[in-house]
Amino acid sequence: MSDSEFEREPEVFREMHQAALAALADVQPEPGVAKPDPILTASGIRRSFGGLVAVDVDHLEVQRGTITALIGPNGAGKTTLFNLLTGFDRPSSGKWDFDGRSAKRLRSYQVARAGMVRTFQLTKALTRMTVMDNMLIAASAQLGERMWAGLIPGLWKAQEAANRERAMELLERFKLIDKREDYAGELSGGQRKLLEMARALMLEPKMVMLDEPMAGVNPALKQTLLEHIKGLREDGMTVLFVEHDMDMVHEIADWVAVMAAGQLITEGTPDQISSDPRVIDAYLGAHHDAAAH
Amino acid sequence: MDWHFVFSQALTQAIGPTMLIYAIAAIGLNVQFGYTGLLNFGQAAFAAMGAYGLALAVVAFGLPFGWGILIGFGAAIVMALLLGIPTLRLRADYLAIVTIAAAEIVRRLARATVWSEYTGGSDGMRGFSEPFFELSPYNPDANWSVLFVSMDGGRLIVDLGIVDFQYSSRDLWVMTVGWILVAIFLVVVGLLVHSPWGRVLKGIREDEEAVRSLGKNVFAYKMQALVIGGIIGAAAGFIFALSRANVQPDTFSTDFTFYFYVVLILGGAARLFGPVLGAALFWFLFNLLSLTLNQGIRSDLIPREVLAPTQVGPLVFFLMGLGMVLLLIFRPQGILGNRRELMLDVR
Ligand SMILES: Nc1ncnc2c1ncn2[C@@H]1O[C@H](COP(=O)(O)OP(=O)(O)O)[C@@H](O)[C@H]1O
Ligand SMILES: [Mg+2]
């Protein structure tokens, strides 16, 4: 394991995070506002299903090294936006750059290789494989994954051992080490969420996209997951995650983007967002309007 | 009732040429269905590519036998690509539909009258297997005997007392090559499925979207699995054609594919030795039932009013089907399968 991401000092990243926060401090809380150092820049992203426009985002930037929360009521288009950005779905129009490179034409697996790794709202553990195999399959650039090389164990054993060691470290960190020889299908829902996050880290991503990582998880585990998400930032990754619970968002997000009915309606720091009437409108919708009249 | 005959015959068949056809075709299917989850319902057509590729090359085009083998393998690869390119990006059921249709098209093309001067139409072809049997090291006139093993005019007899095995010298040569192929394919597939490459296949079987999200080119892996399984299916077609010294279009029907599935599920899908064990057991039971019923009728133990000799075939198929249903209820993982794995809550 030669990659720098895991070996750099945490202080370095903490400083980087402080710098990112300082940079965001001057950013106006307006939808589509430009950021000083965006890792992701998306423009004019539109996706419709028949007559329904599920996503229609004019402009969105995600600041490098921060945790950005994507919130919005059910059906707002958050998952669809994730699918588009990660190559799991194709937009009707729009373009976006990831880490300085156009990502529009990339297929889902190429997006992952480029360093943007996602998880799913409905956890996708590989159930009839062991926890360890779930981790190992995620390691990138494995020689043994080429068919011809697979035939010659001598070619890939060393790389496999190194990957296994890294998987052990991650499983230790995510408290799944004792489960490593269990089938992933034997894990609880919360453990599967942990596994999915640990597995994503095997790719050494630059940006992690978490779709409702804390949905359906008990409160104790939620706190653990929260700490892990903070840990990603401390390891220098950028995080974009979908969450409903404003308390959770307050606790870890540096920045919040709000979607409603496919559009990005506002952005800002958690404090700015919780006092923004547009957000309350989006969540309470017509009832709120009716009450106001 | 001659139990010695019944068991000797059934056991002879259980490791004989026909069993090898099932075993090899199912090894290919195991790569596709067992490990990767690809629903290939056209494995019979891959076998037909091998059988007809060889027969056409040798008989219709007068090419050397070795070229026939290469053409057979090549035809299977081309078919895998043709079937895979349009379907493997789509949902799993598309491959199932397309392969089942393709297998039927292949069979109908083979029996079409338009080019029957080359293919022999529904009569099929013969006269391509002599170069193969000329390579045989077994002397068809051999006569010797060592302990319980003897050769009687080229016929091998292994007499174990309670049962005996008997094979003609032609069968022996087919079996020698067939078992060598089984060994080679098991080694290759064994190495592959225990490699990181095989791990990706299993991942695809579990959830291909998840595997995509981890940066793997799922389409390429599925294509490789389809091609490898198809090549092995073509080898089964060679053994099929050579053991009978002919090819006939109607033997490559969808039933044939379903027997491969029965063999695979009986032995245990995604188990390396599942196909071999499944084929041996399937073909043993099939022969045991047929022989027992036939013997029972012949020795008047089963009255002819109850079961006529012509009804034995259908009854055997009925009983095999019933056995399959019971297997799926009581041991869905097959003989070598892992129950724990199968009982997992697949969410
Ligand atoms: N594959 C699809 N086909 C049709 N409509 C879809 C599809 N996926 C999502 N939608 C619709 O798009 C809208 C946005 O959905 P989604 O992105 O899942 O919202 P969120 O994740 O914010 O809850 C919803 O109205 C949903 O019904
Ligand atoms: Mg969603």
Side-chain angles (χ1 to χ4, degrees):
Chain A
M1 190 199 69
S2 59
D3 204 276
S4 55
E5 304 282 5
F6 282 82
E7 281 165 12
R8 235 183 271 168
E9 292 301 311
E11 294 82 65
V12 177
F13 289 117
R14 227 161 276 146
E15 275 165 36
M16 284 166 62
H17 177 224
Q18 290 308 320
L21 277 185
L24 282 177
D26 299 330
V27 175
Q28 288 305 304
E30 285 304 322
V33 66
K35 312 278 176 347
D37 179 21
I39 189 168
L40 177 73
T41 312
S43 301
I45 310 250
R46 211 181 139 86
R47 172 71 163 111
S48 44
F49 297 107
L52 173 89
V53 180
V55 168
D56 186 6
V57 170
D58 281 340
H59 196 82
L60 173 67
E61 297 188 1
V62 176
Q63 171 73 7
R64 192 186 303 271
T66 61
I67 298 179
T68 302
L70 182 62
I71 67 168
N74 266 329
K78 305 178 297 290
T79 297
T80 307
L81 181 63
F82 263 41
N83 288 344
L84 294 169
L85 294 174
T86 52
F88 279 81
D89 192 5
R90 299 272 147 201
S92 324
S93 62
K95 59 184 171 56
W96 61 101
D97 288 351
F98 172 67
D99 203 23
R101 218 176 118 196
S102 171
K104 182 182 175 177
R105 305 212 172 279
L106 298 185
R107 293 185 173 277
S108 50
Y109 72 91
Q110 295 168 320
V111 172
R113 286 182 192 178
M116 188 201 283
V117 179
R118 71 168 301 177
T119 65
F120 295 87
Q121 184 169 351
L122 296 171
T123 325
K124 288 188 183 294
L126 305 168
T127 42
R128 286 181 298 171
M129 292 169 71
T130 62
V131 167
M132 184 48 104
D133 275 347
N134 266 266
M135 296 295 285
L136 289 174
I137 195 176
S140 43
Q142 299 188 48
L143 182 59
E145 285 184 351
R146 291 173 201 209
M147 193 170 65
W148 61 270
L151 286 171
I152 312 162
L155 289 178
W156 47 265
K157 279 288 184 213
Q159 194 186 26
E160 180 88 347
N163 287 338
R164 187 174 291 270
E165 199 172 309
R166 203 151 58 79
M168 294 289 277
E169 284 168 26
L170 283 167
L171 289 175
E172 184 95 56
R173 174 167 149 198
F174 282 81
K175 305 246 170 359
L176 288 169
I177 193 87
D178 297 334
K179 304 269 178 199
R180 64 185 182 275
E181 295 310 324
D182 288 5
Y183 286 112
E186 293 171 319
L187 299 182
S188 71
Q191 288 169 330
R192 288 181 199 207
K193 293 262 180 201
L194 285 169
L195 174 60
E196 213 182 8
M197 205 183 287
R199 189 174 69 186
L201 298 189
M202 281 298 285
L203 281 96
E204 304 184 313
K206 298 184 183 115
M207 180 167 180
V208 186
M209 314 269 284
L210 307 169
D211 196 352
E212 304 209 14
M214 287 173 279
V217 171
N218 69 51
L221 194 60
K222 261 188 193 163
Q223 208 52 46
T224 318
L225 277 164
L226 220 62
E227 293 308 317
H228 284 308
I229 296 175
K230 281 189 199 162
L232 304 185
R233 182 177 59 199
E234 263 149 47
D235 285 340
M237 284 171 250
T238 307
V239 180
L240 181 65
F241 80 111
V242 174
E243 177 53 46
H244 288 294
D245 186 340
M246 262 321 270
D247 289 339
M248 295 285 162
V249 171
H250 253 283
E251 202 172 329
I252 58 167
D254 304 314
W255 193 258
V256 185
V258 188
M259 278 182 83
Q263 298 187 324
L264 186 64
I265 58 164
T266 185
E267 290 184 47
T269 61
D271 288 332
Q272 289 163 339
I273 288 302
S274 17
S275 55
D276 190 323
R278 284 172 292 189
V279 180
I280 301 165
D281 269 351
Y283 273 93
L284 300 179
H287 304 291
H288 179 69
D289 287 347
H293 278 295
Chain B
M1 184 96 189
D2 187 349
W3 286 112
H4 177 267
F5 171 76
V6 167
F7 273 92
S8 294
Q9 277 291 307
L11 284 170
T12 296
Q13 287 296 326
I15 57 169
T18 307
M19 168 271 180
L20 285 165
I21 300 161
Y22 288 121
I24 295 171
I27 291 173
L29 200 56
N30 202 19
V31 174
Q32 299 163 337
F33 172 72
Y35 291 103
T36 322
L38 297 177
L39 285 170
N40 168 21
F41 284 124
Q43 188 68 335
F46 283 102
M49 289 294 121
Y52 268 90
L54 172 64
L56 277 171
V58 173
V59 180
F61 302 112
L63 294 170
F65 183 81
W67 277 97
I69 299 290
L70 286 181
I71 289 172
F73 279 135
I77 294 172
V78 169
M79 186 161 105
L81 295 175
L82 284 178
L83 298 183
I85 288 170
T87 58
L88 289 180
R89 285 191 207 282
L90 307 174
R91 262 194 352 244
D93 25 355
Y94 286 87
L95 180 70
I97 296 165
V98 168
T99 47
I100 211 166
E104 191 56 17
I105 292 170
V106 164
R107 188 177 71 85
R108 284 180 186 265
L109 286 179
R111 76 200 304 284
T113 47
V114 226
W115 38 55
S116 58
E117 60 177 299
Y118 301 109
T119 60
S122 57
D123 293 336
M125 309 165 76
R126 49 179 59 253
F128 53 85
S129 56
E130 277 327 297
F132 173 75
F133 288 109
E134 277 163 17
L135 296 172
S136 169
Y138 300 107
N139 179 359
D141 307 313
N143 278 302
W144 48 258
S145 163
V146 183
L147 298 172
F148 53 90
V149 184
S150 60
M151 271 285 190
D152 178 11
R155 188 171 184 78
L156 177 76
I157 302 168
V158 180
D159 192 349
L160 301 177
I162 40 170
V163 285
D164 58 46
F165 293 79
Q166 296 197 23
Y167 298 101
S168 72
S169 64
R170 284 171 79 94
D171 278 353
L172 272 185
W173 179 225
V174 172
M175 285 166 65
T176 306
V177 174
W179 278 106
I180 289 173
L181 285 178
V182 166
I184 292 173
F185 290 145
L186 287 183
V187 168
V188 169
V189 173
L191 284 169
L192 283 176
V193 300
H194 291 111
S195 74
W197 184 82
R199 189 162 59 211
V200 176
L201 296 195
K202 289 176 219 162
I204 292 170
R205 179 191 68 195
E206 295 306 303
D207 192 325
E208 62 174 84
E209 296 246 293
V211 175
R212 266 196 202 105
S213 79
L214 301 173
K216 315 297 172 196
N217 184 352
V218 167
F219 176 76
Y221 284 96
K222 289 209 260 186
M223 189 57 99
Q224 288 168 350
L226 191 63
V227 169
I228 299 282
I231 287 173
I232 299 176
F238 296 145
I239 298 295
F240 189 35
L242 292 170
S243 65
R244 282 154 182 71
N246 71 49
V247 290
Q248 277 176 328
D250 291 334
T251 52
F252 297 98
S253 65
T254 305
D255 300 4
F256 205 31
T257 299
F258 285 135
Y259 296 147
F260 304 152
Y261 271 95
V262 170
V263 160
L264 179 58
I265 292 166
L266 178 63
R271 297 287 138 180
L272 188 56
F273 291 96
V276 178
L277 188 68
L281 196 62
F282 171 75
W283 202 232
F284 171 76
L285 289 174
F286 181 87
N287 280 282
L288 187 71
L289 281 171
S290 313
L291 291 161
T292 306
L293 291 171
N294 277 322
Q295 283 280 312
I297 293 171
R298 192 166 305 165
S299 58
D300 291 327
L301 281 172
I302 305 171
R304 278 164 205 257
E305 303 82 66
V306 177
L307 187 69
T310 51
Q311 291 168 328
V312 169
L315 179 61
V316 169
F317 279 108
F318 170 77
L319 291 173
M320 294 296 285
L322 187 67
M324 193 66 201
V325 171
L326 293 175
L327 177 81
L328 287 177
I329 293 171
F330 293 108
R331 206 178 160 81
Q333 72 275 34
I335 294 168
L336 297 178
N338 178 339
R339 186 158 187 103
R340 180 164 154 241
E341 207 171 85
L342 204 84
M343 290 298 122
L344 285 175
D345 149 35
V346 182
R347 267 185 283 183

